[in-house]
Amino acid sequence: MMTRALFASCFLLLTSCSAEISVQTEPFDQTVPVTSILEPVYAEVALDLPEETVDTEGLDIVVDEVAATLTVVNPSTLLTLRTSARLSFEGTATPDQPKTYTNVNLPAYYNRAAEILAVRDFAPNSRTAVRIDTPALKDAIGKRRVWFIVSNTVVRSGLGTPVFPVNIQLEDIIFQAVLTKPFPGLGGALEVGGL
């Protein structure tokens, strides 16, 4: 009777059981150049995702959460920089070779890319912690490589003579994902065994 009760409680635990997997990328930095004032410059950056987030086909994985954290650094002592970011599932950059664009040669897929960081101004000589948890990041799960298109524009200058070029720096970029793998069939296997 004691053994049967023990197996019954295991059955209840297993039927509602699931495995939670947390994965994240190694921190990396990216510099986005500015080559003009009031006209945006775009840097396309490729990111290869961890294997745990790629090999999910047919695994009945539930994507619970995907987020990115980073620090946006404006190193200029005089210039306010305007930045935004989009997530694309197509691109031409490689992880070791970013591509830069202006409005003149912006790729067609830019308009299909999902906005993940709305246009935002960063004051001179500032460090700003940013967390991005837009639902569009969930669509990256299962992809081997994704692309981020980051814009950078000088929008204001303080008194004095600014030094060009100015690069906005994205530091300690980390992408985290929490995935769940449910095990709904384990209860059936135990029940067939007469437990």
Side-chain angles (χ1 to χ4, degrees):
M1 184 68 169
M2 178 78 150
T3 305
R4 196 164 179 81
L6 180 61
F7 281 125
S9 63
C10 287
F11 163 73
L12 291 173
L13 288 172
L14 289 171
T15 56
S16 62
C17 189
S18 63
E20 188 176 273
I21 307 163
S22 295
V23 293
Q24 71 178 36
T25 60
E26 291 294 319
F28 68 99
D29 299 339
Q30 183 62 48
T31 298
V32 184
V34 170
T35 57
S36 64
I37 298 174
L38 301 178
E39 286 297 319
V41 173
Y42 305 88
E44 179 185 299
V45 180
L47 175 67
D48 289 336
L49 297 175
E51 284 300 315
E52 295 88 344
T53 67
V54 173
D55 298 327
T56 59
E57 191 171 325
L59 293 180
D60 191 26
I61 295 288
V62 177
V63 181
D64 295 319
E65 179 185 336
V66 181
T69 57
L70 65 147
T71 301
V72 179
V73 179
N74 178 356
S76 172
T77 57
L78 297 174
L79 303 174
T80 297
L81 303 179
R82 179 167 290 163
T83 300
S84 67
R86 289 177 176 248
L87 170 65
S88 178
F89 299 121
E90 49 191 322
T92 57
T94 61
D96 56 349
Q97 187 66 52
K99 298 277 187 175
T100 56
Y101 308 106
T102 64
N103 282 330
V104 174
N105 64 344
L106 204 57
Y109 52 81
Y110 176 82
N111 290 326
R112 294 189 290 272
E115 183 180 71
I116 59 171
L117 177 64
V119 174
R120 185 169 167 184
D121 290 355
F122 294 91
N125 206 23
S126 64
R127 296 181 63 84
T128 308
V130 174
R131 178 179 167 83
I132 300 169
D133 58 6
T134 178
L137 287 178
K138 288 186 176 184
D139 295 334
I141 300 300
K143 306 282 191 294
R144 218 160 265 294
R145 178 174 287 176
V146 297
W147 290 265
F148 295 90
I149 305 171
V150 183
S151 71
N152 188 23
T153 313
V154 174
V155 290
R156 263 191 311 278
S157 177
L159 296 176
T161 304
V163 177
F164 286 96
V166 177
N167 300 322
I168 199 155
Q169 298 163 3
L170 310 178
E171 295 183 352
D172 296 325
I173 305 168
I174 299 174
F175 291 90
Q176 305 112 356
V178 178
L179 314 173
T180 302
K181 167 63 178 159
F183 296 105
L186 287 179
L190 290 175
E191 288 171 334
V192 171
L195 300 173

